[in-house]
Amino acid sequence: MELKWSILIKLLIVQYLSVLCISQDFDFFYFVQQWPGAYCDTKHTCCYPKTGKPAADFGIHGLWPNYKDGSYPSNCDPDSVFDKSQLSEIMSSLQKDWPSLSCPSSNGNRFWSHEWEKHGTCSESELDQREYFEAALKLKEKVNLLQILKKAEIVPDDGFYSLDSVVEAIKEAVGFTPGIECNKDSAGHSQIYQIFLCVDTSGSEIIECPVLPKGRCASNVQFAKF
């Protein structure tokens, strides 16, 4: 009898630990914003959304669960499909702050569906679908990157700025070191493309990044017009 109880208790402990692991299956989020001028100013084409040309502002690329070793989970729940009906009240904000620039031109649903199914499903232990998209929108509202850079006299005028000055301007305003990812235009210029900030697992508080992405940036980077 004691042996049966012992086995049962061990099974319950294993089950509890497995549930705990699932519910905490990432360490932090990358909150990623992209500059449309750099996205469009490459060898690849871009297409404006069906709602028209987006504002000259950083747009959300995603809110990505990550591990401290730099790896990340993806496509965690194939049964949890994107459901735009859950987002009807925030749709105008998504169109404004999370626009799709990929071709062919779209209404954004394909982009948001990809982000939810690849990344958002891996944070369901913390955020449901509506909360996931709302969290990203609130983070963008909290961190106005364009305003921060303009205040430091770093403006999207096709000019070149030191990478250190871009990092320091954001760090001074936000309190934490950002990751900067660059791409190259057709002339080979290194451009500010994406800016990464790290966020706690609740999706609400910016934190110091446990690991920063490799940004492939030159020491001087171009801030492309849009």
Side-chain angles (χ1 to χ4, degrees):
M1 189 70 177
E2 287 185 7
L3 180 61
K4 287 182 178 179
W5 276 111
S6 176
I7 292 171
L8 181 61
I9 289 168
K10 286 178 180 177
L11 286 171
L12 287 171
I13 290 171
V14 168
Q15 187 177 25
Y16 170 76
L17 289 174
S18 66
V19 170
L20 187 65
C21 287
I22 291 170
S23 67
Q24 297 179 341
D25 203 21
F26 67 104
D27 298 320
F28 67 97
F29 286 105
Y30 276 137
F31 175 54
V32 189
Q33 296 187 64
Q34 64 184 7
W35 180 246
Y39 184 100
C40 294
D41 192 16
T42 64
K43 294 177 183 177
H44 304 291
T45 56
C46 73
C47 292
Y48 298 154
K50 290 181 177 179
T51 51
K53 182 179 179 179
D57 192 8
F58 284 90
I60 298 169
H61 185 171
L63 186 62
W64 303 341
N66 239 74
Y67 298 125
K68 290 180 180 178
D69 65 3
S71 65
Y72 61 90
S74 64
N75 301 99
C76 295
D77 185 0
D79 295 325
S80 181
V81 297
F82 177 73
D83 180 5
K84 65 179 182 180
S85 68
Q86 295 188 35
L87 309 176
S88 57
E89 292 180 12
I90 59 171
M91 189 59 68
S92 60
S93 296
L94 287 171
Q95 291 170 342
K96 173 180 173 288
D97 293 331
W98 200 328
S100 171
L101 292 168
S102 64
C103 294
S105 180
S106 73
N107 55 14
N109 288 334
R110 185 176 65 245
F111 184 25
W112 304 324
S113 176
H114 168 79
E115 290 300 311
W116 169 251
E117 291 170 11
K118 181 176 180 179
H119 301 288
T121 56
C122 298
S123 64
E124 285 184 294
S125 59
E126 298 287 342
L127 304 169
D128 63 26
Q129 191 168 151
R130 167 73 179 261
E131 291 168 341
Y132 173 78
F133 286 98
E134 282 184 331
L137 291 170
K138 287 176 182 176
L139 287 167
K140 185 179 186 316
E141 189 177 345
K142 181 184 288 190
V143 182
N144 189 325
L145 289 174
L146 185 60
Q147 189 176 63
I148 288 168
L149 293 175
K150 282 183 173 180
K151 188 175 179 181
E153 298 183 346
I154 299 169
V155 295
D157 59 357
D158 281 345
F160 287 82
Y161 303 88
S162 76
L163 179 63
D164 288 345
S165 69
V166 175
V167 170
E168 283 304 313
I170 297 169
K171 183 178 179 180
E172 183 177 342
V174 177
F176 300 101
T177 304
I180 312 293
E181 181 184 352
C182 296
N183 64 3
K184 289 186 178 181
D185 66 6
S186 55
H189 298 136
S190 182
Q191 297 181 320
I192 299 169
Y193 171 43
Q194 298 197 126
I195 296 180
F196 291 66
L197 290 168
C198 291
V199 180
D200 70 358
T201 55
S202 75
S204 59
E205 298 298 325
I206 297 169
I207 60 173
E208 196 65 54
C209 284
V211 58
L212 287 169
K214 295 178 181 178
R216 303 188 301 275
C217 295
S219 57
N220 288 296
V221 293
Q222 187 180 43
F223 198 2
K225 289 180 181 178
F226 181 65

